[in-house]
Amino acid sequence: MNAQTKIEAETILGALAIALPKLEAAKKNSNNPHFKSTYADLKAVIAAIYPIAEYGLWYRQVSHEVP
């Protein structure tokens, strides 16, 4: 990462602007027999977004309402 990229990556939006173009779509690796379709399971989605960690970003999934 060069100096300019590092400065831009110091903000969340700057980091997203740098990281998002480098991401690829999640691979559809699971089958839904009810709709006769395929989808990307959670493991595939996490693998697809993993490169954002290089820019100090990550995700959070909450399975319940946060007060």
Side-chain angles (χ1 to χ4, degrees), residues 19-58:
L20 290 179
K22 298 179 180 187
L23 298 181
E24 294 182 15
K27 306 282 189 263
K28 292 182 177 182
N29 61 347
S30 296
N31 293 309
N32 182 336
H34 182 73
F35 290 107
K36 298 178 182 162
S37 63
T38 57
Y39 66 95
D41 65 13
L42 183 58
K43 185 176 180 180
V45 172
I46 292 171
I49 66 168
Y50 191 80
I52 68 173
E54 181 181 338
Y55 301 96
L57 301 169
W58 201 234

Side-chain angles (χ1 to χ4, degrees), residues 2 4-6 11-12 15 19-20 23 25 28 31 33 41 45 47-48 51 53 55 58-59 61-62 65-66:
N2 65 32
Q4 180 63 32
T5 303
K6 186 172 182 169
T11 67
I12 291 174
L20 290 179
L23 298 181
K28 292 182 177 182
N31 293 309
D41 65 13
V45 172
Y55 301 96
W58 201 234
Y59 72 100
Q61 180 179 355
V62 179
E65 194 172 317
V66 178

